[in-house]
Amino acid sequence: MKKQSPRTRRHIRTRQAILDAALSIVHEDGPDGLSMRTLADRIDYSPAGLYEYFGSKEEIIAEVCDEGHRRLAAYMLEVESSLSSTDYLYGIGLAYIRFALENPDHFLLMFSSPQMAGDAPEDALPQDSESSYGILLHGIERGIDAGAFHVRPGFGLSEMGYAAWTLVHGMAMLRVTALRDVPLDLDAADHQALLNFMRGLQAA
Amino acid sequence: MKKQSPRTRRHIRTRQAILDAALSIVHEDGPDGLSMRTLADRIDYSPAGLYEYFGSKEEIIAEVCDEGHRRLAAYMLEVESSLSSTDYLYGIGLAYIRFALENPDHFLLMFSSPQMAGDAPEDALPQDSESSYGILLHGIERGIDAGAFHVRPGFGLSEMGYAAWTLVHGMAMLRVTALRDVPLDLDAADHQALLNFMRGLQAA
DNA sequence: CTATAATTCCGAACAGTGTTCGGTTTTGGA
DNA sequence: TCCAAAACCGAACACTGTTCGGAATTATAG
């Protein structure tokens, strides 16, 4: 399992250049600005040449989405783990929303299409500690272990994680779609919604 | 303000036929199946003829989205208003999700694009009792008036409405995108998430 | 009833899209 | 050195939304 030949090395390099250019275009001009021709132009290739590296445009977009999920997870990993369990979970939620607000087109691309999203749902949601959902689950687990969150029949870690995910996802999604340009203090509203969520977790 | 001439009557009739056909195509083949040519074919028109009734494809889609919001509101209006305030609000949330699950493509079309959605956000969200959000607000107001939901500083009707909307929207959105085809009992998870939300509202 | 004007409708075309194919050049290994 | 594989591109195909010119239809005014 050594290094590859210079050819395959260039291959993966230009492959990455394609993905980088695709991501740039999405961030600059939105998903509609991403065409095989503009993409090829940016890296001085012919449109046909791209098909030497990807089977279709959808494949490229799928990889852009994967990168998005990695970055989303990175946002969530930035939260200080020294915080109290409630503050920590609160920070996780804010990080999710912040990623959406700072990368609206990327976020929309990741979660607007029925497929996308690297979900390998065998019989459960991805619990690996490097995926965004896994990090979220970890935050809740901390609260449970600390006795801050109250587990009850039918409402354990999984259900709490689902509830938290849907809440922050709904806030993020609405703020980049229907509530874009609404002149209200949605940060404050998010704050209150998260507090209310945790009140439910803490209730005896 | 009498009836119109037979010409304008035909005009609005074919106009409606276009919208009906567009909605059918979205439901049958998804948004990608909706092209000006397939749309024109279905009502025995030429593609160019459509531009006598709509300025662009986007205009047509915008009206399809408007119709979607009306139908979403209709789902929520079906909830028995004789229920207790908590059961009523619970039903409202389920109706929102049910609409998304039964009309995934239509729902995605309504909430995937940054613009869309008939949001006239002057300085607040639409509170009219015929919009989906207005109905949701009404459900929460009932709980407040009945003393079931506890108002606190910074967390009044508006904030509760926002929190409820984002929660059900997140559940609906994820279930038609990332969580599509996940073999889990998400209905049960939705149930628990809604219960947890209300626990927060009820907490003293 | 007859001109005239407005509306309705379509064929054809334009610029753009993703993708495929054939052929040419470049490269790596035997 | 020779050959095969990989890389790359020009041209084309089928599709998209949209525009334009003209023809057919319909309503209105004289």
Side-chain angles (χ1 to χ4, degrees):
Chain A
M1 190 63 57
K2 57 177 171 304
K3 277 297 172 64
Q4 304 94 338
S5 72
R7 174 144 46 191
T8 62
R9 212 161 12 179
R10 271 186 322 209
H11 187 90
I12 66 170
R13 181 152 32 106
T14 52
R15 201 185 132 94
Q16 190 57 46
I18 294 175
L19 293 178
D20 291 346
L23 187 52
S24 300
I25 294 177
V26 169
H27 273 99
E28 294 169 15
D29 304 336
D32 294 343
L34 177 65
S35 81
M36 296 301 272
R37 283 172 177 80
T38 66
L39 179 53
D41 272 4
R42 187 171 294 223
I43 57 173
D44 302 304
Y45 268 67
S46 151
L50 301 180
Y51 289 85
E52 218 47 61
Y53 300 88
F54 297 94
S56 68
K57 183 186 181 184
E58 282 211 355
E59 266 188 33
I60 298 178
I61 292 181
E63 298 232 17
V64 169
C65 287
D66 284 357
E67 173 64 18
H69 283 100
R70 280 188 291 271
R71 296 193 181 190
L72 171 57
Y75 268 64
M76 298 165 77
L77 277 179
E78 279 180 8
V79 181
E80 294 266 352
S81 58
S82 59
L83 292 171
S84 73
S85 56
T86 57
D87 285 351
Y88 179 67
L89 184 56
Y90 177 78
I92 297 276
L94 283 192
Y96 193 101
I97 296 169
R98 191 167 60 86
F99 173 83
L101 293 180
E102 292 178 358
N103 312 280
D105 289 314
H106 202 174
F107 183 78
L108 232 53
L109 195 65
M110 292 159 58
F111 288 107
S112 283
S113 180
Q115 68 280 13
M116 300 307 171
D119 45 343
E122 295 188 1
D123 61 339
L125 301 177
Q127 308 223 357
D128 50 294
S129 63
E130 292 189 355
S131 78
S132 55
Y133 187 66
I135 298 170
L136 180 62
L137 271 191
H138 174 67
I140 292 181
E141 201 169 21
R142 273 191 54 181
I144 294 178
D145 292 345
F149 302 152
H150 182 226
V151 176
R152 62 189 76 213
F155 194 58
L157 175 60
S158 301
E159 290 78 13
M160 289 179 177
Y162 176 80
W165 187 19
T166 55
L167 177 62
V168 296
H169 186 75
M171 298 191 285
M173 203 71 201
L174 282 176
R175 290 190 64 172
V176 295
T177 56
L179 296 183
R180 174 176 285 199
D181 303 327
V182 170
L184 295 176
D185 187 0
L186 296 182
D187 286 335
D190 288 342
H191 175 71
Q192 291 294 335
L194 287 171
L195 285 188
N196 183 75
F197 169 73
M198 290 183 169
R199 264 198 302 274
L201 292 186
Q202 295 161 345
Chain B
M1 190 62 59
K2 58 175 171 303
K3 276 301 170 63
Q4 304 93 340
S5 72
R7 181 181 265 175
T8 61
R9 212 163 10 179
R10 271 184 323 208
H11 188 90
I12 65 171
R13 180 152 36 104
T14 53
R15 202 185 131 93
Q16 190 57 46
I18 294 175
L19 292 178
D20 291 347
L23 187 52
S24 300
I25 294 177
V26 169
H27 273 99
E28 295 169 13
D29 305 337
D32 294 342
L34 178 66
S35 81
M36 296 301 270
R37 284 171 175 80
T38 65
L39 179 53
D41 272 4
R42 187 171 293 224
I43 57 173
D44 302 304
Y45 268 66
S46 151
L50 302 179
Y51 289 84
E52 216 53 55
Y53 300 89
F54 297 94
S56 66
K57 184 186 181 183
E58 282 210 356
E59 267 188 34
I60 297 178
I61 293 181
E63 298 233 17
V64 169
C65 287
D66 283 356
E67 173 65 18
H69 283 98
R70 280 189 289 272
R71 296 194 181 190
L72 170 57
Y75 268 65
M76 298 165 77
L77 278 178
E78 279 180 7
V79 180
E80 293 266 351
S81 58
S82 59
L83 293 172
S84 74
S85 57
T86 57
D87 286 350
Y88 179 67
L89 185 56
Y90 177 78
I92 297 275
L94 283 191
Y96 193 101
I97 297 168
R98 191 166 61 85
F99 174 83
L101 293 179
E102 293 178 359
N103 313 279
D105 289 314
H106 202 175
F107 183 78
L108 234 54
L109 195 66
M110 292 160 58
F111 287 107
S112 283
S113 179
Q115 67 280 18
M116 300 308 171
D119 45 342
E122 295 188 3
D123 61 340
L125 300 177
Q127 308 222 359
D128 50 293
S129 62
E130 292 189 355
S131 78
S132 55
Y133 187 67
I135 298 170
L136 180 62
L137 271 190
H138 174 68
I140 292 181
E141 201 169 21
R142 272 192 53 180
I144 295 178
D145 292 345
F149 302 152
H150 183 226
V151 176
R152 62 190 77 214
F155 194 60
L157 174 59
S158 301
E159 290 78 12
M160 289 179 176
Y162 176 80
W165 187 18
T166 55
L167 177 62
V168 295
H169 186 75
M171 297 191 285
M173 204 70 199
L174 283 176
R175 290 190 64 172
V176 295
T177 56
L179 297 184
R180 174 175 286 198
D181 303 327
V182 170
L184 295 176
D185 187 1
L186 296 182
D187 286 335
D190 288 342
H191 175 72
Q192 291 294 334
L194 287 172
L195 285 188
N196 183 74
F197 169 74
M198 291 184 168
R199 263 198 303 275
L201 292 186
Q202 295 161 347

